[in-house]
Amino acid sequence: MENQQENSSIISEQVKVNGNLTALSLTTEGKLQWTTEKGQHSLTVEKEVLGFTIQGSKIIIKAVTEKQDGCFASAGGGALARKNFVFEPLSDESLHLWWRPKRLFIFVNPFGGKKSALKIYFDVVKPLLEDADVQITVQETKYQLHAKEVVCAMDLTKYDGIVCVSGDGILVEVVNGLLEREDWKAAIKMPLGTVPAGTGNGMVKSTLDSAGEPCTASNAVVAIIRGHKCSLDVATILQGDTKFFSVLMFAWGLVADIDIESEKYRWMGSARLDFYGLQRMLCLRQYSGRISFVPAPGFEAYGEPTRYNGEFTSTHSSINPSQEQHVKAEQYSYQGPDVDLTNLEWRTINGPFISVWLHNVPWGGEDTMAAPDAKFADGNLDLILIKDCPKLGLLALMTNLSDGGHVKSPHVMYLKVKAFILEPGQRTKDPTKGGIIDIDGEVLARGNGTYKHDQKTLMTYDKLQITVDQGLATLFCPVQQ
């Protein structure tokens, strides 16, 4: 039985080999096997396959095989001959299984998490990519938004993918850079990979966990080398003419406060979140405000009916001549999903709120399964909402974050939404102070009296809107089991 498992097929399908239709399989032992009129044939990938190229619908495998009466056999000590084998999958989907990245652009963030990204790159990432004969171009990020600047200007035709050796922040910068390009429609199709080297690592945890693999740097790199891809939803956050694109999560209230205010304990690594989280639960805050949303099918019972009155469309009606050229250039970039929000069925919930948390993927960090039902490309965001909860109940709830058990709490509303509007308010016990709006681990907006409230932010602490573009981006990910 053990032998049978070792020889199980990773790929098994009908193809043309040198023009003849046959069954081809790739086993877990690393053998390509097929049958012709001359009998059973096999190639050991590690020993005999030199490499392969894809030309149109054909895969040309270059190999060295042992000569044997004009045919070939597995290499075993005889004279070796170079030989090409032409495989032709019968579908585009099958052809994609053979695609592998050969040229990768890699961002390394030396400042994230425990500042271990450079060590991870040199100890794990570089050796594995070199073994796979992948050409590497490396860029260390030197300041916030550096990766975004590089991506906006780089020649994407030179690369088969972009890899971020970092936490989630650099990936978010890359996505925003791709969508701000004039050629964003082609640019956003660039496959993106992540290698865990930050505090959260929610995206790479989500991709690896979806295939039952541990969240390690080596597993992440191997998934990139294999070249399997999946689609990823992208959320557009809009406030007036200001846009930001998100791929991980959006938070306001308890989760945002813990995520951002715990930065003063960054030296503790990921333990800072648990440490500061306990402090915040003991001194619990609630925020006045209002949320409106378009529920996904099956979640229409949440909230009360309302009408869309967002008025978020960018009209640029009062633009002075000096701004005109910038606006014209901006219009060539991605403007967000094309959807008429006025004709959708909106619902609303009024505060006060302890926490409002939207998630695009299941994991917010390696130890936090924020949204256990989240999918990478379902066109929805998962909303985890807490309006009221006793402190002991909240503590029990937060201890269940590691396995997603918190969403079963009677104090949690868990639903899927297709569009969302936040109208943030002040703290109920101290109306002079507002809250923090957190997007993918970075501050999007700060209210008065908040942590580092004097620092400039992309948006103001005011009404904003979120819409989702289904499957817009592309991720490297492991093959699903």
Side-chain angles (χ1 to χ4, degrees):
M1 192 67 159
E2 188 176 321
N3 234 1
Q4 191 175 356
Q5 284 184 338
E6 287 179 358
N7 288 289
S8 62
S9 297
I10 299 173
I11 299 173
S12 182
E13 58 187 24
Q14 290 286 111
V15 300
K16 288 182 180 179
V17 180
N18 294 341
N20 299 311
L21 188 65
T22 184
L24 172 75
S25 64
L26 172 62
T27 72
T28 52
E29 281 190 327
K31 285 190 176 183
L32 281 170
Q33 298 176 336
W34 70 98
T35 305
T36 69
E37 56 196 23
K38 294 183 179 179
Q40 181 78 26
H41 303 287
S42 70
L43 283 173
T44 303
V45 174
E46 186 176 349
K47 293 181 179 179
E48 296 171 288
V49 175
L50 298 174
F52 66 88
T53 59
I54 297 177
Q55 295 182 0
S57 63
K58 296 179 179 178
I59 300 161
I60 301 172
I61 294 182
K62 300 177 181 181
V64 288
T65 63
E66 185 178 342
K67 290 181 180 178
Q68 187 182 38
D69 299 328
C71 192
F72 68 94
S74 294
L80 296 178
R82 290 162 52 207
K83 191 172 179 68
N84 289 352
F85 301 91
V86 181
F87 296 78
E88 190 170 1
L90 301 183
S91 69
D92 290 340
E93 186 178 341
S94 298
L95 184 65
H96 291 159
L97 290 174
W98 295 90
W99 182 85
R100 299 290 184 270
K102 292 296 182 184
R103 305 163 302 167
L104 293 175
F105 190 96
I106 301 177
F107 286 107
V108 180
N109 177 15
F111 307 108
K114 295 182 179 179
K115 302 183 179 179
S116 59
L118 280 171
K119 179 173 172 55
I120 290 170
Y121 170 74
F122 284 110
D123 290 354
V124 181
V125 181
K126 189 170 183 282
L128 284 172
L129 292 178
E130 287 178 342
D131 284 349
D133 197 27
V134 176
Q135 297 176 28
I136 304 168
T137 303
V138 183
Q139 172 69 64
E140 284 186 44
T141 55
K142 302 189 182 303
Y143 46 85
Q144 193 172 13
L145 299 182
H146 186 195
K148 179 183 172 183
E149 291 175 7
V150 172
V151 168
C152 280
M154 69 190 291
D155 182 356
L156 295 176
T157 62
K158 294 181 177 179
Y159 307 102
D160 299 318
I162 298 174
V163 175
C164 308
V165 184
S166 67
D168 296 304
I170 300 301
L171 174 66
V172 176
E173 287 190 27
V174 169
V175 169
N176 276 267
L178 293 173
L179 290 174
E180 288 189 11
R181 294 169 60 105
E182 289 189 17
D183 64 345
W184 68 266
K185 287 183 181 179
I188 196 59
K189 295 177 182 177
M190 173 68 71
L192 308 175
T194 50
V195 178
T199 300
N201 306 316
M203 186 61 72
V204 66
K205 172 68 175 183
S206 295
T207 55
L208 291 171
D209 185 70
S210 69
E213 296 185 5
C215 185
T216 65
S218 56
N219 281 338
V221 178
V222 169
I224 291 165
I225 290 170
R226 287 175 177 162
H228 185 69
K229 294 171 285 186
C230 66
S231 297
L232 177 69
D233 292 341
V234 175
T236 300
I237 296 92
L238 184 66
Q239 187 181 73
D241 293 333
T242 306
K243 291 186 295 294
F244 188 84
F245 307 112
S246 164
V247 293
L248 187 70
M249 68 92 171
F250 172 98
W252 172 59
L254 178 64
V255 172
D257 292 348
I258 293 171
D259 195 22
I260 301 304
E261 293 177 1
S262 66
E263 286 182 356
K264 63 186 81 169
Y265 305 110
R266 184 169 282 273
W267 55 270
M268 296 176 67
S270 58
R272 68 181 170 91
L273 299 171
D274 294 331
F275 175 75
Y276 189 71
L278 183 59
Q279 293 185 45
R280 279 275 53 83
M281 282 184 278
L282 292 175
C283 302
L284 194 59
R285 300 168 182 163
Q286 281 187 297
Y287 293 90
S288 59
R290 170 187 169 103
I291 63 169
S292 303
F293 54 90
V294 177
F299 297 94
E300 296 87 352
Y302 291 88
E304 299 296 328
T306 189
R307 296 184 65 183
Y308 175 78
N309 61 350
E311 300 175 356
F312 283 97
T313 305
S314 301
T315 59
H316 303 297
S317 56
S318 58
I319 297 171
N320 62 51
S322 64
Q323 292 176 306
E324 187 174 355
Q325 188 173 353
H326 170 72
V327 169
K328 284 182 178 178
E330 189 182 62
Q331 288 174 344
Y332 288 108
S333 65
Y334 175 66
Q335 299 298 303
D338 185 13
V339 56
D340 183 4
L341 297 175
T342 57
N343 291 328
L344 299 178
E345 298 295 324
W346 285 83
R347 312 284 291 182
T348 189
I349 298 175
N350 290 310
F353 302 100
I354 291 174
S355 180
V356 175
W357 199 7
L358 286 160
H359 243 271
N360 193 35
V361 295
W363 292 86
E366 291 185 56
D367 302 318
T368 305
M369 184 187 273
D373 295 338
K375 309 297 181 188
F376 290 99
D378 64 354
N380 302 319
L381 294 171
D382 285 37
L383 172 60
I384 307 101
L385 186 68
I386 305 174
K387 278 182 58 66
D388 193 18
C389 184
K391 291 180 182 179
L392 285 178
L394 189 60
L395 183 59
L397 185 156
M398 298 299 277
T399 59
N400 289 324
L401 277 171
S402 60
D403 62 5
H406 62 290
V407 301
K408 298 175 183 177
S409 167
H411 304 292
V412 174
M413 294 185 203
Y414 181 44
L415 62 149
K416 289 179 179 284
V417 301
K418 292 190 167 296
F420 183 86
I421 292 173
L422 171 67
E423 299 173 68
Q426 305 299 97
R427 298 181 196 174
T428 55
K429 292 182 180 178
D430 187 353
T432 64
K433 294 181 179 180
I436 294 171
I437 299 175
D438 174 7
I439 187 74
D440 295 342
E442 301 293 336
V443 177
L444 184 71
R446 287 185 173 94
N448 291 331
T450 58
Y451 175 68
K452 295 186 177 179
H453 69 274
D454 55 332
Q455 292 191 1
K456 186 178 179 182
T457 55
L458 181 65
M459 295 184 182
T460 60
Y461 189 69
D462 203 349
K463 187 175 182 180
L464 51 80
Q465 169 186 292
I466 305 175
T467 49
V468 185
D469 204 330
Q470 185 171 4
L472 183 65
T474 301
L475 285 180
F476 286 116
C477 64
V479 177
Q480 305 297 304
Q481 300 301 316

